[in-house]
Amino acid sequence: MFCEKAMELVRELHRAPEGQLPAFNEDGLRQVLEEMKALYEQNQSDVCLQMEWFNHYKKSLATYMRSLGGDEGLDITQDMKPPKSLYIEVRCIKDYGEFEVDDGTSVLLKKNSQVFLVLRYFKSYEC
Amino acid sequence: MSEAYFRVESGALGPEENFLSLDDILMSHEKLPVRTETPMPRLGAFFLERSGGAETDHAIPQGSKLELPLWLTKGLFDNKRRILSVELPKIYQQGWRTVFSADANVVDLHKLGPHFYGFGSQLLHFDNPENADISQCLLQGFEEHEMGCLWRPAQGRLWNHGGCWGDWKPKETRRCQ
């Protein structure tokens, strides 16, 4: 367990007189390389499992996002933090004209103008 | 070229041990007590008496107490302690620290652990509340030992100490790191 064979090799070198190398321990080295190979292969198979899980997760998330917000779906990964305020500052990328808000007031949405609007009107926006 | 190779010196007193230093490799293999904070699948293959057995995929349950080498503990530790929490080995705890600070030269460091200072320095990585005291104790002890090295050249015990400094040879004027 825990690379005992490798530690033996290190101790062998550590014991050697200053500046000299002991004879090459081919057998010891081979055992260590085999142990490394076995660990690596176990690790690989673990990684495969994780990849499978992740692909499944990705698909579930994509399906869910597509099912929200009408035809286009909603990208919920856009905002990972909850909003700090109710309002959002928005810049219009094209002329829309008058936009009527819940309380009856309307806002003129012209290209490149910036306005404050209530957060829930937006699925995707430029900040 | 008179020597076949040159040893890489220990870095254990600094922030990290040196990857190629034999002293540091040996030091880092020493074990310390840990507690698992999350179940660990497949680790049971190395700890058969703790393992849940083949049916559980050799999992080690949460809350198990194990001894792991320092290098592995450092690799798994995070400051939120989600994977492991680390206990101080006895010789770095309050009781021993008191003995040590009374007179560092009284304590036989080689018996306590051949890499007392290096290992102790690396222990500071684990965010223990006693870290300030530990580092103070190590520093003080080291100063006393170094003074002892200068003023007591004939005492066998200090010279055979070995420790994380490699071998202290009376003839060398090279100072311990």
Side-chain angles (χ1 to χ4, degrees):
Chain A
M1 136 177 124
F2 290 134
C3 41
E4 286 306 332
K5 191 65 196 166
M7 288 310 291
E8 247 179 67
L9 290 178
V10 170
R11 281 183 205 112
E12 204 179 290
L13 181 59
H14 193 248
R15 276 195 294 267
E18 191 77 32
Q20 291 177 33
L21 288 172
F24 187 70
N25 186 340
E26 190 174 323
D27 205 34
L29 208 59
R30 194 174 32 83
Q31 284 180 44
V32 170
L33 289 171
E34 277 171 18
E35 190 183 328
M36 282 167 68
K37 183 158 171 272
L39 281 172
Y40 182 75
E41 280 164 4
Q42 280 176 37
N43 199 34
Q44 283 292 301
S45 71
D46 286 347
V47 167
C48 260
L49 278 176
Q50 287 196 350
M51 284 306 291
E52 251 184 66
W53 173 89
F54 182 68
N55 284 329
H56 192 66
Y57 176 82
K58 251 184 355 187
K59 285 201 187 91
S60 300
L61 184 64
T63 314
Y64 175 67
M65 294 202 308
R66 248 197 312 275
S67 71
L68 303 170
D71 281 333
E72 295 160 11
L74 177 64
D75 187 0
I76 58 178
T77 64
Q78 280 289 325
D79 296 296
M80 300 298 278
K81 296 193 175 122
K84 294 225 168 56
S85 72
L86 282 179
Y87 293 92
I88 180 118
E89 186 172 2
V90 160
R91 178 166 31 96
C92 307
I93 46 180
K94 61 180 186 191
D95 269 343
Y96 179 84
E98 295 257 330
F99 176 73
E100 195 174 310
V101 169
D102 261 359
D103 62 358
T105 55
S106 28
V107 180
L108 180 61
L109 294 177
K110 253 183 98 139
K111 184 170 178 184
N112 291 329
S113 70
Q114 285 181 242
V115 288
F116 279 96
L117 286 172
V118 176
L119 198 55
R120 71 185 134 102
Y121 290 119
F122 294 93
K123 301 188 290 201
S124 58
Y125 45 81
E126 259 184 63
C127 294
Chain B
M1 211 174 53
S2 54
E3 292 188 339
Y5 88 106
F6 299 92
R7 293 193 178 201
V8 174
E9 301 200 318
S10 166
L13 287 189
E16 292 293 343
E17 56 265 47
N18 276 334
F19 188 76
L20 294 177
S21 158
L22 297 181
D23 289 306
D24 285 346
I25 295 170
L26 292 172
M27 180 278 288
S28 198
H29 200 62
E30 281 181 33
K31 298 199 173 43
L32 71 161
V34 302
R35 184 180 180 276
T36 57
E37 298 297 340
T38 181
M40 299 179 88
R42 285 181 283 285
L43 193 59
F46 297 115
F47 293 97
L48 289 172
E49 67 281 4
R50 301 310 202 79
S51 149
E55 319 82 57
T56 65
D57 199 18
H58 292 293
I60 300 240
Q62 182 178 352
S64 302
K65 297 207 174 187
L66 302 172
E67 299 223 315
L68 296 184
L70 178 71
W71 57 266
L72 184 57
T73 311
K74 278 171 91 172
L76 291 174
F77 185 80
D78 73 336
N79 55 15
K80 295 194 181 65
R81 289 178 187 77
R82 283 166 305 199
I83 304 175
L84 293 179
S85 57
V86 178
E87 268 175 48
L88 286 181
K90 280 201 202 57
I91 58 172
Y92 298 98
Q93 284 180 21
Q94 180 61 47
W96 273 102
R97 291 205 304 268
T98 316
V99 171
F100 200 70
S101 39
D103 183 354
N105 295 310
V106 159
V107 175
D108 186 347
L109 280 187
H110 194 75
K111 193 169 66 172
L112 291 183
H115 303 105
F116 184 76
Y117 292 113
F119 193 82
S121 301
Q122 294 305 314
L123 266 188
L124 301 174
H125 274 111
F126 300 120
D127 293 345
N128 196 292
E130 298 177 52
N131 271 359
D133 285 341
I134 296 169
S135 47
Q136 185 60 34
C137 172
L138 289 175
L139 195 58
Q140 192 187 330
F142 173 56
E143 281 170 1
E144 282 186 49
H145 264 120
E146 199 172 353
M147 293 301 284
C149 162
L150 290 178
W151 297 114
R152 282 200 260 163
Q155 296 312 310
R157 177 152 56 82
L158 280 179
W159 299 114
N160 292 332
H161 171 287
C164 62
W165 312 111
D167 294 310
W168 291 3
K169 299 179 179 85
K171 294 192 195 83
E172 283 185 359
T173 51
R174 173 173 67 97
R175 293 278 290 262
C176 10
Q177 288 160 266

